[in-house]
């Protein structure tokens, strides 16, 4: 099992060898995406059809500190549901009735599949149509899978957005040569989304659509005149579904750090025929702010080694940002899944000597961490304290998914997330 | 199917993890998909453990399902054995693996590993975390206890006890254990072993040596304790020493079994009796308290609340059905309706209806209390990172009684302060959002904007009832917020009983006179 294999040479930027090992994968399942998606789409509710484990995972990942009542819940499958399928479907309908009666404000309900619902082959897409017929048009019921046997962590958002795509209305313009429209794809904190929208407005690009929308009742239209930018590197299925609707992906670095933000915005500017000077003028002040903000952290981060455990699929773009803009040295960049096409430009920008790994055998990977003793290890919540206890500084990867880190004005904050553990290590005298 | 917003207990394999993680030299091979590895963070983040739990997950994927997940299990088990060299291995399935029926027990057996392999049958779709912990501990004890142990007579030697129940991720288990050790030392009772916490399989082998068992947490240790009672004729100390009185009872129970003098241990004492008798505590009299948690902690809290603080218990319940009978009996004794449920929404509705002045519950009830703007103290699992304080903070023993006094009384308005608030209720600074001064800003509540997506239950006190005249409503606002709910409830009950449709200022004061104790 495992071993170094050179990547497919026909794809640009894949010169780095990829280490693939099979063993225990220490990563959340796709259900975790609900923790941020339920806050992003304000009139949507996420109902996991799963086990007590699924409910416990969500609760543990979200923390019992959520003050507002969350817009997610679990329909926990019980022994008697396993007895017969008709029964399980009736039970699900009953749970949905109770839920919608309690939450009349809900306009879109996602039935989220889990490992148990998939293993017992509970057909959630049929359930979704049945429930849409019953509760529509006030409530639209969709389904996707966040199961751990099919998805890791951020892939849950991919599956959710991909499920939304067939629901999107068609753009007015039918022919591809008609006025192009821009779509930003991937859930971003509202503040970051607004920053990007301002940039596009100043460049004269419009209309600009956002997927997912803040309200499920306002789904963005899509069609052959749609040009989309992925804001996140983990949206392979969503991109494919958009392409099926005729939309065209704009290839770019992901908008992490100053360089990534610049390249990402420029990809849109070029596609929409914004002239270079205007583009430069629009982004210049923010770019300059980012440069200043990053300079403050360079002293702490430059020359420091970093090891990414596979978790969010943000690993490759972040390693690119940290090495090119802050002078860090990525030792191993692990990712649960390597989307070569979407990451082609990112991979090209990684420094030589970086080990890329896809998938995981956590025990052996931790052996490599201990052998390499990186200055910083980016890892999941289960591994952070054990590594700290061994004297290795860590950064929780989940924070990178929850915090505003995209764009020029967050570049400094993103660097700070990596600099803080190192600064802290130097500060503490206990 | 059960609609669940929050769960009080995890799945049973998390209970098994709590046992395995507490012990030394045990490894748990769990047939489970990758997402189930989230459970590691419970231990490393919430409890701040400095090592990964001793658990290997097989993390099978969809594409493995058609193929050989059994092979995957055996590979994982073999690698886990070779890497960690445990003295004993637990094997089992999580909810998903239970459905694919790979039989981890048979697979592990066939591997002929050179250490005991203990299969766990934990039905995920019926049972929960505490049950899983109890069953796992029981299975370990059954498999590992040497049956040939013969105890020498108690005469002429110091008595020997086992302490059963503490695990990883337990609510104050670490600190409770310190207190139990202290009491046993004062009694002159030696400890044969503590388990699961800190015990190795080799230690468990000697479990039959003890003269009796101290059952700290029945939810976790009861099944094993019953087995040991049968197998080794070890009596069980059943009093759970939470509170001053229960601690005294516990000491007497241990002393009787061990044939020692309870006096030196009783002499340690707590401050609870005097703190509670001191004049400042008078204001605690008949404060209405709602209690919910695991059965053991809830029942112990009810006794302390009534007998040691002079509260009135207005609600009592637990989320673990396994102990429903005991809780029902006690609720009957207290004259309240028992609440046996693990549905968070039911608990929220019950607390809302009871309008208590203090909630003693879990972190879930803390959320409910916050929403209803009621003071709350946490008395039971499920645990939160705040339930692992850096300082010593037991619930059990005499120091535990001191801790209970402080943590339950602290959220309440202090005695004299309450009078001042009542006397000068028109002072502009005594508005709704002025909470108790010692709690700092923002704690008292007031009409904080409820999050737009958290609808109030229909029986919420925030809702304006019919029948209040504007004047009466205004008068009601002059009553300090922490008794306003009670005043409103009493007035409405009085109006209803008298057939009064419109509640006026006069009705308010008539009701007050009527309800005056
Ligand atoms: S891995 Fe599967 S069973 Fe486990 S929490 Fe995720 S969806 Fe549920």
């Amino acid at each position: 099992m495992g071993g170094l294999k050179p990547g497919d040479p026909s794809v640009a930027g894949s010169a780095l060898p990829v280490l693939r090992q099979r063993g225990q994968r220490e990563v959340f399942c796709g259900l975790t995406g609900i923790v941020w998606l339920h806050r992003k789409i304000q009139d949507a509710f996420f109902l996991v059809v799963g086990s007590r484990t699924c409910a416990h995972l969500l609760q543990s990942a979200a923390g019992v500190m959520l003050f507002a009542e969350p817009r997610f819940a679990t329909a926990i499958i019980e022994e008697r549901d396993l007895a017969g399928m008709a029964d399980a479907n009736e039970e699900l309908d009953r749970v949905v009735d109770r839920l919608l009666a309690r939450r009349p404000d809900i306009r879109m309900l996602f039935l989220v599949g889990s490992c148990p619902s998939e293993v017992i082959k509970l057909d959630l897409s049929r359930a979704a149509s049945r429930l849409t017929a019953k509760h529509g048009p006030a409530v639209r019921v969709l389904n996707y899978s966040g199961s751990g046997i099919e998805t890791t962590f951020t892939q849950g958002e991919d599956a959710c957005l991909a499920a939304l795509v067939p629901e999107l209305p068609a753009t007015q313009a039918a022919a591809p040569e008609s006025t192009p429209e821009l779509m930003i794809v991937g859930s971003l904190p509202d503040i970051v989304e607004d920053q990007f929208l301002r940039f596009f407005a100043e460049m004269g690009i419009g209309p600009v659509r956002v997927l997912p929308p803040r309200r499920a009742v306002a789904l963005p239209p899509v069609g052959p005149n749609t040009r989309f930018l992925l804001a996140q590197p983990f949206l392979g299925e969503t991109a494919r579904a958009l392409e099926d609707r005729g939309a065209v992906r704009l290839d770019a670095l992901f908008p992490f750090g100053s360089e990534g933000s610049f390249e990402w915005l420029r990809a849109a500017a070029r596609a929409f025929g914004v002239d270079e000077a205007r583009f430069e003028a629009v982004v210049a002040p923010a770019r300059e702010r980012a440069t200043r903000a990053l300079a403050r952290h360079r002293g702490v981060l430059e020359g420091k080694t970093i090891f990414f455990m596979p978790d969010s699929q943000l690993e490759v773009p972040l390693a690119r940002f940290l090495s090119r803009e802050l002078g860090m040295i990525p030792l191993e960049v692990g990712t649960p899944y390597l989307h070569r096409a979407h990451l082609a430009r990112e991979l090209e920008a990684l420094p030589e000597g970086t080990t890329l790994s896809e998938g995981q055998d956590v025990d052996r990977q931790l052996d490599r961490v201990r052998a390499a003793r990186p200055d910083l290890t980016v890892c999941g919540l289960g591994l952070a304290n054990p590594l700290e206890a061994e004297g290795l500084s860590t950064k929780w990867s989940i924070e990178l998914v929850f915090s505003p880190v995209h764009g020029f004005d967050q570049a400094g904050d993103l660097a700070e997330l990596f600099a803080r553990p190192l600064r802290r290590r130097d500060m503490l005298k206990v | 199917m059960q609609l669940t917003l929050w769960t009080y207990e995890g799945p049973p394999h998390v209970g098994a993890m709590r046992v395995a993680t507490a012990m030394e030299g045990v490894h748990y091979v769990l047939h489970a998909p990758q997402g189930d590895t989230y459970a590691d963070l419970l231990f490393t983040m919430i409890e701040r453990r400095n090592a990964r739990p001793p658990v290997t997950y097989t993390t099978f994927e969809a594409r493995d399902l058609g193929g050989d997940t059994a092979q995957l299990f055996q590979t994982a088990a073999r690698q886990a054995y070779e890497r960690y060299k445990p003295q004993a291995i637990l094997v089992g399935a999580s909810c998903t693996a239970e459905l694919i029926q790979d039989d981890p027990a048979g697979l592990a057996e066939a591997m002929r590993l050179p250490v005991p392999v203990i299969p766990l049958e934990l039905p995920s779709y019926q049972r929960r975390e505490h049950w899983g912990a109890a069953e796992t501990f029981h299975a370990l004890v059954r498999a590992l206890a040497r049956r040939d142990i013969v105890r020498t007579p108690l005469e002429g030697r110091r008595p020997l006890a086992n302490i059963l129940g503490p695990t990883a991720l337990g609510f104050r288990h670490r600190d409770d254990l310190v207190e139990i050790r202290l009491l046993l030392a004062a009694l002159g009772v030696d400890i044969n072993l503590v388990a699961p916490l800190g015990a190795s399989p080799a230690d468990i082998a000697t479990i039959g040596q003890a003269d009796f068992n101290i059952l700290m947490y029945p939810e976790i240790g009861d099944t094993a304790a019953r087995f040991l009672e049968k197998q080794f004729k070890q009596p069980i100390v059943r009093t759970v020493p939470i509170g001053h009185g229960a601690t005294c009872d516990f000491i007497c129970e241990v002393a009787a079994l061990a044939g020692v003098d309870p006096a030196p241990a009783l002499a340690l004492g707590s401050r609870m009796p005097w703190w509670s008798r001191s004049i400042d505590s008078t204001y605690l009299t008949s404060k209405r308290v709602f209690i919910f948690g695991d059965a053991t902690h809830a029942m112990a809290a009810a006794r302390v609340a009534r007998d040691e603080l002079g509260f009135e218990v207005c609600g009592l319940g637990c989320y673990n059905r396994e102990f429903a009978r005991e809780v029902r009996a006690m609720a009957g004794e207290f004259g309240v309706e028992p609440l046996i449920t693990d549905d968070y929404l039911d608990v929220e509705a019950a607390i809302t209806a009871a309008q208590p002045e203090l909630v003693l519950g879990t972190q879930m009830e803390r959320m409910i209390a916050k929403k209803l703007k009621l003071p709350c103290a946490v008395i039971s699992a499920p645990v939160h990172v705040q339930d692992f304080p850096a300082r010593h903070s037991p619930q059990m023993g005499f120091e535990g009684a001191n801790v209970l006094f402080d943590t339950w009384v602290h959220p309440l308005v202090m005695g004299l302060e309450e009078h001042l608030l009542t006397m000068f209720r028109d002072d502009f600074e005594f508005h709704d959002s002025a909470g108790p001064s010692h709690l700092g800003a923002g704690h008292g509540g007031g009409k904080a904007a409820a999050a737009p997506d958290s609808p109030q239950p229909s029986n919420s006190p925030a809702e304006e009832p019919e029948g209040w005249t504007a004047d009466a409503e205004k008068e009601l606002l002059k009553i300090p917020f922490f008794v306003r709910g009670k005043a409103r409830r009493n007035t409405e009950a009085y109006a209803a009983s008298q057939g009064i449709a419109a509640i006026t200022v006069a009705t308010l004061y008539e009701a007050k006179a009527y309800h005056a104790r």
Side-chain angles (χ1 to χ4, degrees), chain B residues 102-126:
Chain B
D102 272 339
D103 182 25
L107 290 171
E109 168 108 14
M111 291 171 66
R112 312 211 156 280
L113 292 169
V115 291
V117 173
I118 301 158
L120 300 177
E121 293 284 344
L122 308 176
S124 304
Y125 298 91
Q126 292 170 25

Side-chain angles (χ1 to χ4, degrees), chain A residues 1 22-29 39 47 49-82 88-89 91-92 94-95 98-99 102-103 105 115-120 122 147-152 155 361-364 366-367 370 381-387 389 396, chain B residues 1-14 33-42 44-46 48-53 55-65 72 75 79-80 83-84 94-96 98-100 123-129 169 342-346 348 363-364 366-367 370-371 382-384 386 451-455 457:
Chain A
M1 287 199 291
R22 186 80 206 277
Q24 178 178 322
R25 299 161 67 102
E26 179 95 10
V27 55
F28 288 148
C29 59
R39 285 283 159 231
L47 180 66
V49 182
S51 64
R52 183 165 299 280
T53 314
C54 309
H56 201 232
L57 160 102
L58 272 180
Q59 176 163 334
S60 309
V64 290
M65 292 300 286
L66 286 173
F67 293 123
E69 186 171 310
R71 283 184 297 267
F72 61 78
T74 308
I76 295 185
I77 298 170
E78 294 167 310
E79 191 65 29
R80 55 201 179 87
D81 302 309
L82 298 174
N89 282 309
E91 285 287 298
L92 179 58
R94 186 182 57 77
V95 165
R98 185 180 174 200
L99 177 69
R102 186 179 159 82
R103 300 297 303 257
D105 51 325
C115 306
S117 78
E118 273 170 32
V119 171
I120 65 169
L122 190 58
S147 84
I149 52 176
E150 302 214 300
T151 62
T152 67
Q155 280 177 316
D361 177 334
V362 70
D363 284 316
R364 285 195 282 169
L366 286 171
D367 289 344
R370 291 182 185 113
L381 294 172
L383 298 175
N385 268 336
L387 287 174
W396 314 339
Chain B
M1 264 178 219
Q2 195 195 358
L3 177 62
T4 308
L5 271 68
W6 300 114
T7 65
Y8 285 93
E9 293 185 79
H13 71 259
V14 168
Q34 60 189 359
D36 292 6
T37 61
Y38 80 89
D40 285 357
L41 81 87
L42 305 171
T44 64
M45 296 298 292
I46 296 180
R48 297 180 211 253
R49 282 192 166 254
N50 62 6
R52 292 167 65 206
V55 180
T56 294
Y57 306 80
T58 57
T59 62
F60 56 86
E61 299 169 66
R63 60 180 172 162
D64 301 319
L65 289 180
L72 197 66
T75 306
Q79 287 177 350
R83 180 175 281 267
Y84 296 105
S94 77
C95 51
T96 308
E98 188 182 329
L99 297 171
I100 61 177
S124 304
Y125 298 91
Q126 292 170 25
R127 300 297 190 165
R128 297 177 192 161
E129 178 179 334
L169 210 67
D342 68 344
D343 188 334
Y344 169 82
L345 300 175
D346 289 348
E348 183 184 76
Q363 292 290 341
M364 315 284 178
R366 200 171 66 97
M367 282 199 288
K370 201 173 170 99
K371 189 164 153 191
V383 288
H384 182 269
Q386 289 175 358
D453 58 341
S454 65

Side-chain angles (χ1 to χ4, degrees), chain B residues 196-211:
Chain B
L197 193 60
S200 68
D203 295 334
I204 301 276
T206 70
I207 201 165
Q209 277 171 10
D211 298 301

